[in-house]
Amino acid sequence: MPLHVPPAPAPALRSVLTALGSPTAVREARTPSLRNAQGPAAPELPLPLHVLDELTAAGAAATRLAGWRFLIRCGDRAVAAAETRLMPDGWAFSHFFEGPYIASTERALRQAETLPQPYQPRLLSVPGLYMLTLWLHGDCTADGADGHPAATDLLVPLAPAPPGIAAHRPHRVAELLPVLTHRVTPAPAPLLGQPA
């Protein structure tokens, strides 16, 4: 089934296009693949990037939108990614980057296109585990910037995944979140006599 990629906010896309058109922004980026790319580079596949800030004992999650991530394609492959952030005055370009999550995201998206049910793709970061997942949301008409993982949504850990969690294996949220809850270490309790 085709994926239903949510539209990125127009100002977020414009900020990435402006950065790609700026020789200074591209030259100063720590992305050799982007600096050395032959031919025009174009942003594609905008994915809302949500952060899983809290896991409770019941596995319920509190998430927030952290930005939009665009794969930067040059020719037939993605060579980097660009991230935007919401600032007080609107969406702004944050940075370019490259690394294993670029190819892993592309692979997970290709896998998701073969699933029998349509999904809306998003990214979900789990900072407590240094983990990034492709979040396949079952409501394709939802605003990509809103919402929390539904129990029936799928999470596909991207490589490199934390030890003991298989990359590129889809998991239902109801199955994976309880596992993650036990893996995230709680913040240490304050010592007696010290402020919390």
Side-chain angles (χ1 to χ4, degrees):
M1 282 276 172
L3 295 175
H4 296 270
V5 179
L13 176 58
R14 278 195 304 272
S15 73
V16 171
L17 290 169
T18 299
L20 279 172
S22 164
T24 303
V26 171
R27 193 176 337 109
E28 291 179 2
R30 293 190 176 122
T31 54
S33 294
L34 184 58
R35 283 196 312 267
N36 300 329
Q38 300 295 318
E44 65 174 31
L45 289 169
L47 297 173
L49 174 61
H50 294 260
V51 176
L52 183 64
D53 283 324
E54 181 182 340
L55 284 167
T56 67
T63 62
R64 65 180 167 80
L65 180 67
W68 283 79
R69 185 173 290 178
F70 298 77
L71 293 180
I72 305 299
R73 185 164 298 282
C74 188
D76 62 347
R77 68 183 189 98
V79 296
E83 203 160 288
T84 62
R85 299 270 184 223
L86 185 58
M87 307 301 278
D89 58 344
W91 288 99
F93 171 75
S94 176
H95 61 282
F96 292 116
F97 65 94
E98 63 181 72
Y101 286 133
I102 308 297
S104 186
T105 300
E106 282 191 304
R107 177 180 169 187
L109 287 166
R110 282 193 305 272
Q111 274 182 282
E113 287 176 342
T114 66
L115 296 172
Q117 176 181 339
Y119 288 100
Q120 181 189 82
R122 304 170 175 197
L123 293 171
L124 183 66
S125 172
V126 185
L129 292 174
Y130 301 101
M131 179 179 181
L132 184 65
T133 69
L134 178 65
W135 169 15
L136 299 172
H137 190 52
D139 182 357
C140 295
T141 62
D143 181 347
D146 294 331
H148 299 286
T152 56
D153 287 353
L154 296 179
L155 295 176
V156 182
L158 300 180
I165 296 176
H168 297 286
R169 182 172 171 257
H171 302 270
R172 294 238 177 261
V173 167
E175 298 163 357
L176 186 59
L177 283 188
V179 172
L180 299 182
T181 301
H182 296 294
R183 307 246 353 231
V184 173
T185 55
L191 298 174
L192 289 177
Q194 297 205 355

